[in-house]
Amino acid sequence: MSGDEVVIIGAGICGLATALALHMKGIRSIVMEKSESLRNVTGAAITIRPNGWRALDQLGVSDILRHTSIPLQRERVVSLDVERLDEISLYHCVGETRCLRRKDIIDTLYAALPPATVKFGCQLESIKLDQHTTKPILRFIDGTTLTTKVVIGCDGAKSIVADFLNLKPTKKFPLCEVRGITNYPFGHSFTYEFTRFKKDNLLVGRIPINNNSVYWFCTQPCIPKDERIWKDPEMIRQHTLQLLSHYPEEIQEMIKTTDTNSLSLKQLRYRAPWDLLMGTFSRGTVIVAGDAMHVMGPFLGQGGSASLEDAIVLARNMAQIMGLNHVRKDEEAFYRFVRQRRIRVVRLSLQAYLIGMISGTSLRLKKFICIMLVTLLFRNQMSHMDYDCGDI
């Protein structure tokens, strides 16, 4: 595999991580990004669990990112309805957990790539296979086409590559989530813990990133009717303040002073676990990874880490197959990748789906069934963090 034979669609976390993993294995790739510049200003932050740090260790960027955040020591769940406090230790029970700005992850991965790996302003319109060679032909919205050998779709929940593979559409949780980052120039007073506040079917999470920055989110029933709320940061702020007017003053103050550029409101989406169990993730030399493959609710904090795992496993399989005497090496590598990743992402997605439904459904019977399934299927609800995707 050489030249521009590997094309990655999307310069998000998975796309950049996959390009870096391939580079480390001596496989050159080109990342086609629809934006005109690196998408490092959208999004707020993500939690990286121990399994994600193992993947970052393999990519050689973990030490850089560790300097941008401080490890969390514990997790607390505070029920404001009944004034109950549940507390578990994070660091000592399940290992390293930190909250990272998405910008820091994107910038770090991008800086580790060879120059000109990412081509900007390349928005994919469609894919088809050449009738004679079966090579993928990519068509972009500016009318240009590109024939390549391998296509890796890392283009998110609304993936054009996933549509080409006939993956079933993503579904919507009955929940939406506001996310933001609040900066404290003179430092904040919060302890380094992941704190969740629950009251009246609302969930507010607060996670310190470092001494001066705090990531927060508010998960709520998906009820905003005014279309402007979904895009206007100031309207998102006012809507959230009104929603949380009965929450502690420190929560309201955090939202009032949050960085407007970091604010977003999105309805939560997922690929159904049963669709992942039966779905076709590759066709010939076209494959999906990351959110394009297995977008899930944020309830486990595993979306980013699972995408990093994908990058490691995919690059490892592609490199291993290169050394074997296979006629269709790329297809064999993709077959192995799908076989190795399917059960992992099905389990993650199922656990996230059940937890999301417990939070989102108003039907008592459905809530009870989901609670019973979580209890039976995931007795150790932290075990997903112990996963090791292996060496690159």
Side-chain angles (χ1 to χ4, degrees):
M1 214 169 294
S2 61
D4 295 348
E5 294 180 331
V6 179
V7 174
I8 298 170
I9 306 298
I13 290 174
C14 186
L16 295 175
T18 300
L20 179 55
L22 290 173
H23 170 66
M24 295 175 70
K25 302 301 288 186
I27 302 173
R28 186 175 184 272
S29 65
I30 293 294
V31 182
M32 312 297 274
E33 167 56 41
K34 66 181 181 180
S35 299
E36 296 296 332
S37 60
L38 200 61
R39 288 185 291 121
N40 58 2
V41 294
T42 58
I46 63 173
T47 303
I48 300 293
R49 305 289 191 174
N51 56 300
W53 284 108
R54 294 186 186 105
L56 289 171
D57 286 339
Q58 291 297 313
L59 292 170
V61 297
S62 56
D63 287 342
I64 297 172
L65 289 169
R66 283 188 176 98
H67 283 98
T68 69
S69 63
I70 293 179
L72 303 177
Q73 298 299 320
R74 61 178 179 174
E75 181 171 346
R76 288 197 305 154
V77 180
V78 180
S79 178
L80 298 175
D81 288 313
V82 294
E83 296 184 354
R84 185 178 67 244
L85 173 63
D86 300 316
E87 180 178 310
I88 62 172
S89 170
L90 264 179
Y91 190 79
H92 298 295
C93 289
V94 299
E96 183 178 14
T97 299
R98 299 173 190 247
C99 184
L100 301 179
R101 291 177 184 265
R102 184 180 180 277
K103 173 180 169 55
D104 290 336
I105 303 175
I106 292 290
D107 288 350
T108 301
L109 292 172
Y110 180 75
L113 289 169
T117 297
V118 181
K119 294 186 180 296
F120 296 103
C122 302
Q123 184 169 350
L124 183 65
E125 184 178 58
S126 64
I127 307 175
K128 66 178 182 179
L129 300 181
D130 186 283
Q131 293 182 352
H132 303 291
T133 66
T134 70
K135 286 186 176 181
I137 302 174
L138 307 178
R139 181 178 177 85
F140 298 89
I141 61 169
D142 63 1
T144 60
T145 60
L146 173 64
T147 301
T148 185
K149 189 176 180 182
V150 171
V151 175
I152 304 173
C154 301
D155 47 343
K158 298 179 181 180
S159 169
I160 292 176
V161 182
D163 290 343
F164 167 79
L165 297 173
N166 293 319
L167 287 179
K168 291 189 176 180
T170 59
K171 295 178 170 60
K172 297 179 180 179
F173 281 106
L175 297 166
C176 56
E177 190 168 88
V178 178
R179 299 167 185 170
I181 293 178
T182 303
N183 295 309
Y184 298 83
F186 303 105
H188 59 75
S189 59
F190 305 126
T191 55
Y192 285 90
E193 60 188 25
F194 181 0
T195 310
R196 296 184 181 94
F197 302 88
K198 294 182 177 180
K199 187 173 185 179
D200 298 339
N201 294 321
L202 299 174
L203 174 67
V204 176
R206 183 183 67 205
I207 316 175
I209 299 172
N210 52 39
N211 292 326
N212 300 99
S213 299
V214 174
Y215 168 61
W216 62 270
F217 61 85
C218 173
T219 307
Q220 58 192 272
C222 209
I223 54 175
K225 304 295 184 183
D226 191 332
E227 291 296 325
R228 295 173 299 172
I229 292 180
W230 298 93
K231 295 183 179 180
D232 186 329
E234 191 53 43
M235 290 190 70
I236 293 173
R237 188 203 310 272
Q238 295 305 320
H239 165 77
T240 307
L241 284 171
Q242 183 178 6
L243 202 65
L244 302 179
S245 59
H246 53 303
Y247 267 61
E249 181 61 32
E250 65 180 24
I251 297 295
Q252 297 182 50
E253 189 62 30
M254 180 179 65
I255 296 168
K256 288 177 184 177
T257 57
T258 197
D259 180 4
T260 304
N261 292 330
S262 72
L263 278 172
S264 65
L265 171 61
K266 295 183 179 180
Q267 184 158 11
L268 301 180
R269 291 179 172 269
Y270 65 97
R271 287 204 187 278
W274 44 93
D275 291 341
L276 293 175
L277 188 62
M278 304 301 295
T280 301
F281 300 122
S282 68
R283 176 182 170 191
T285 58
V286 179
I287 195 168
V288 285
D291 279 355
M293 179 184 183
H294 49 66
V295 63
M296 64 188 78
F299 312 105
L300 298 181
Q302 280 292 344
S305 294
S307 295
L308 293 168
E309 292 175 8
D310 288 346
I312 300 298
V313 178
L314 184 53
R316 181 174 66 231
N317 277 287
M318 292 176 70
Q320 287 174 349
I321 293 297
M322 284 176 64
L324 302 179
N325 185 24
H326 284 269
V327 176
R328 296 193 170 188
K329 296 181 179 180
D330 307 309
E331 294 183 35
E332 174 66 17
F334 290 171
Y335 170 78
R336 292 188 181 190
F337 168 78
V338 172
R339 185 180 62 191
Q340 292 170 15
R341 292 298 291 162
R342 190 185 296 274
I343 296 303
R344 167 65 172 167
V345 299
V346 167
R347 284 188 60 83
L348 284 176
S349 297
L350 178 59
Q351 189 175 356
Y353 168 79
L354 292 173
I355 295 173
M357 285 301 159
I358 291 171
S359 302
T361 185
S362 58
L363 302 176
R364 291 186 178 181
L365 178 60
K366 187 172 184 179
K367 189 186 292 284
F368 174 76
I369 292 173
C370 289
I371 291 173
M372 292 302 298
L373 287 173
V374 168
T375 303
L376 290 172
L377 298 176
F378 304 100
R379 296 192 178 185
N380 179 359
Q381 294 187 32
M382 299 289 189
S383 63
H384 56 85
M385 306 180 195
D386 294 331
Y387 183 84
D388 188 342
C389 63
D391 296 339
I392 196 171

